Amino acid sequence: MSSSTTSAAAGTSQEESFPPPSVPVPAGDPASTSSSLRGGGGGMTQAFCFSSGNPRIEETRGVMHLFSDDAVSSSSPDLPVGRKPLVCVFGVPDHMTYADFCQFCASFIHHILEMRIVRTDGMEDRYSILIRMDGQDATDNFYRYFNGRRFNSLEVEVCRILYTVDVQYTGYKGSAEHPHTSPMATSEQPSCPVCLERLDQDTSGILTTICNHSFHISCISKCSDSSCPVCRYCQQQPEKSICFVCQTSENLWMCVICGFVGCGRYKAGHATVHWKETQHCYSLELETQRVWDYAGDNYVHRLIQSKTDGKLVELNSHCMHSSDGCESCNCANSGLNEALLNSKVDVIIKEYNDLLATQLENQKLYYETLLQEFEEETEREISEAVEMALTANSKVQKKQTKLDECVRETKFLDELNENLMANQEIWKAKLSEAEERERNALRAKDDKMQQLEEELKDLMACLEEGNSN
């Protein structure tokens, strides 16, 4: 899609669908950059500053006045007086893609005339959606059905819908060569970049992405990712990088060889220190995506992306024929200019190819070195583990030998104990028999001595009787 078509598509939704108020709010006014409460339409309203567009190319700023939550409550089911078929889905998580939100509100998608994605100031990782519907009844039903409803069953995030009083556009920043013009100045109606059909709100709803490109809702809902099909600007911005050394998030450069992120020379200069230590001489500026050559002390780009309109332009380009530009010299020969441009492009392509081949070779060597170091470290760890295992195995064998010896000694002692116990019983029996024999011998001896004493007494008696006779 051409730039004029894009601008026209963006302008259609700004001036026709969400018209600015009769008294515009000045850009930079403190009242337009802070939330405020005011009366109007039978309820309290709150102002929120918003922006849209790719900040590197263009940015549209404005203020949207929304009915506050106090205007509608569960105890007061009456909707705000003076409301319009304009609502704002406030604070949608940015991981929800355009297709996800279209699927979420699919039951009312045929009532939606236009949706515009905007960033709300002060809300990170979220965006808001301004929705214009085809009637007040459909808008009220949309509010009652989706307000407070969870986006899906796996999250706690709920859909918050506020009625919109008005939308005021306070300023536009962009290229001076491609000013933001109204579509009323052109007779051509913009077309959808996907299906190439005219963007007619009466036929199909229109969705304007956060980068100000417009599509049919039915076309953009088929895109599964969160990037714009035209400029690939992603609504879900990546996490902010920080310097690996000082943790700053400003003026960052990333080494294209090893991925080291360091701050520039206007901060602590850690990117330069990394170059001096590693000799990785090419570094990517994260903000502008340009590559700096430390060895040559300049950018490697001959073509860079313009911050104003996003187009590729030649770095420090000037006319070769005159020092003050082509307007002061005769450069009417378009064929010669085209040939010179083609030759420049060929030279630039060859230079980029050589540069890319050199850096790929350096990157290959760098990662091969890392891989070799990793393999050596792994082999060293494996050898240490094997050595430790062998040492442990020898210790285990020694312990096992000692254990076997102890088991054998224990078995011998058990057998010896059993033999001693058996011998003890035998000797006990023998001792009992000996004691019994001893007792019998003593008893017999006593009996014999008694018998002898009696015989002696008898003999003595006989002797005494003989003497007396």
Side-chain angles (χ1 to χ4, degrees):
M1 187 173 70
S2 63
S3 60
S4 61
T5 304
T6 304
S7 301
T12 300
S13 58
Q14 290 180 11
E15 299 188 5
E16 295 178 0
S17 303
F18 301 99
S22 57
V23 181
V25 178
D29 189 356
S32 66
T33 58
S34 62
S35 299
S36 61
L37 294 176
R38 63 184 178 89
M44 301 297 289
T45 62
Q46 191 170 6
F48 294 93
C49 297
F50 69 89
S51 63
S52 63
N54 187 342
R56 294 183 55 196
I57 300 176
E58 62 177 6
E59 186 178 35
T60 303
R61 298 198 58 83
V63 180
M64 53 184 176
H65 296 279
L66 310 175
F67 283 100
S68 63
D69 293 328
D70 297 335
V72 181
S73 63
S74 57
S75 60
S76 177
D78 294 334
L79 299 175
V81 179
R83 65 188 182 278
K84 303 175 184 178
L86 299 176
V87 292
C88 175
V89 182
F90 199 75
V92 181
D94 62 356
H95 62 76
M96 285 192 67
T97 64
Y98 308 125
D100 292 338
F101 185 81
C102 291
Q103 184 178 3
F104 172 71
C105 59
S107 57
F108 284 83
I109 205 72
H110 58 284
H111 292 292
I112 297 177
L113 297 180
E114 182 178 2
M115 292 194 295
R116 172 174 284 274
I117 315 296
V118 296
R119 302 184 204 87
T120 307
D121 292 358
M123 298 183 66
E124 296 184 357
D125 302 330
R126 295 176 182 273
Y127 62 91
S128 299
I129 305 178
L130 294 169
I131 301 178
R132 185 171 71 91
M133 309 192 74
D134 58 1
Q136 193 62 53
D137 292 338
T139 307
D140 296 341
N141 293 333
F142 180 85
Y143 175 86
R144 293 189 183 97
Y145 185 77
F146 288 109
N147 188 39
R149 180 181 292 268
R150 287 169 38 167
F151 288 109
N152 59 62
S153 59
L154 301 178
E155 297 182 3
V156 297
E157 301 284 352
V158 297
C159 178
R160 181 188 177 192
I161 302 177
L162 300 174
Y163 279 95
T164 304
V165 180
D166 57 22
V167 179
Q168 300 174 343
Y169 291 93
T170 60
Y172 172 82
K173 293 190 301 181
S175 172
E177 299 177 358
H178 300 84
H180 186 64
T181 59
S182 170
M184 303 301 293
T186 61
S187 60
E188 182 182 1
Q189 189 176 10
S191 59
C192 174
V194 177
C195 66
L196 303 181
E197 297 292 336
R198 299 299 182 187
L199 289 173
D200 189 358
Q201 297 177 355
D202 298 331
T203 304
S204 176
I206 299 174
L207 185 145
T208 302
T209 62
I210 202 168
C211 53
N212 291 336
H213 292 125
S214 299
F215 306 86
H216 288 132
I217 294 178
S218 57
C219 295
I220 194 67
S221 60
K222 298 177 183 178
C223 300
S224 59
D225 58 354
S226 59
S227 60
C228 174
V230 175
C231 65
R232 292 303 174 188
Y233 179 74
C234 185
Q235 69 181 27
Q236 184 177 6
Q237 295 300 308
E239 296 182 358
K240 293 183 178 180
S241 301
I242 58 175
C243 176
F244 286 0
V245 180
C246 64
Q247 313 302 317
T248 183
S249 59
E250 299 179 358
N251 191 20
L252 297 180
W253 298 77
M254 182 180 70
C255 176
V256 299
I257 300 297
C258 64
F260 175 85
V261 178
C263 54
R265 64 184 65 181
Y266 299 110
K267 287 294 182 180
H270 293 122
T272 307
V273 174
H274 174 73
W275 161 61
K276 293 179 180 179
E277 292 177 350
T278 62
Q279 296 302 313
H280 297 167
C281 57
Y282 293 102
S283 188
L284 174 71
E285 187 179 10
L286 296 183
E287 181 180 0
T288 62
Q289 301 297 307
R290 291 186 291 179
V291 178
W292 180 263
D293 178 12
Y294 285 103
D297 198 26
N298 57 11
Y299 287 105
V300 300
H301 297 273
R302 299 299 179 269
L303 296 177
I304 62 174
Q305 188 177 23
S306 174
K307 290 186 177 181
T308 57
D309 55 9
K311 293 184 177 180
L312 292 177
V313 297
E314 187 174 359
L315 182 65
N316 298 328
S317 61
H318 57 83
C319 179
M320 296 187 303
H321 305 286
S322 175
S323 60
D324 55 351
C326 290
E327 295 181 357
S328 62
C329 65
N330 186 12
C331 292
N333 191 341
S334 60
L336 178 60
N337 292 337
E338 183 176 359
L340 292 174
L341 178 61
N342 292 335
S343 63
K344 284 185 178 180
V345 171
D346 293 338
V347 172
I348 292 173
I349 290 174
K350 183 179 182 303
E351 183 177 355
Y352 279 174
N353 289 335
D354 295 340
L355 178 63
L356 182 60
T358 303
Q359 293 309 302
L360 287 176
E361 183 66 25
N362 293 337
Q363 195 174 43
K364 175 185 175 184
L365 294 176
Y366 173 75
Y367 284 106
E368 284 180 350
T369 304
L370 290 182
L371 183 60
Q372 184 178 359
E373 292 177 355
F374 178 76
E375 290 177 350
E376 292 176 353
E377 180 69 20
T378 304
E379 290 178 357
R380 184 169 60 255
E381 291 179 356
I382 291 175
S383 61
E384 291 177 356
V386 170
E387 184 178 355
M388 292 176 63
L390 293 175
T391 304
N393 190 22
S394 62
K395 291 182 179 179
V396 169
Q397 290 179 356
K398 292 180 181 179
K399 297 291 184 181
Q400 186 65 34
T401 303
K402 291 183 178 180
L403 180 60
D404 294 340
E405 292 178 357
C406 292
V407 169
R408 287 195 298 269
E409 291 178 359
T410 304
K411 187 176 180 181
F412 172 75
L413 293 176
D414 291 339
E415 293 177 354
L416 181 60
N417 187 35
E418 290 178 0
N419 294 330
L420 291 175
M421 293 296 292
N423 293 333
Q424 184 181 9
E425 296 296 332
I426 295 173
W427 286 108
K428 280 184 179 181
K430 289 181 178 182
L431 180 60
S432 299
E433 293 177 357
E435 289 177 351
E436 183 67 24
R437 288 195 301 268
E438 184 70 20
R439 284 193 297 269
N440 293 333
L442 289 174
R443 192 181 304 114
K445 182 179 179 181
D446 291 340
D447 292 341
K448 192 168 185 176
M449 287 178 64
Q450 186 177 1
Q451 184 180 1
L452 290 174
E453 286 178 356
E454 290 177 357
E455 289 178 356
L456 181 61
K457 287 179 181 181
D458 292 340
L459 181 62
M460 290 298 294
C462 288
L463 290 175
E464 287 179 358
E465 288 178 1
N467 291 328
S468 61
N469 292 328

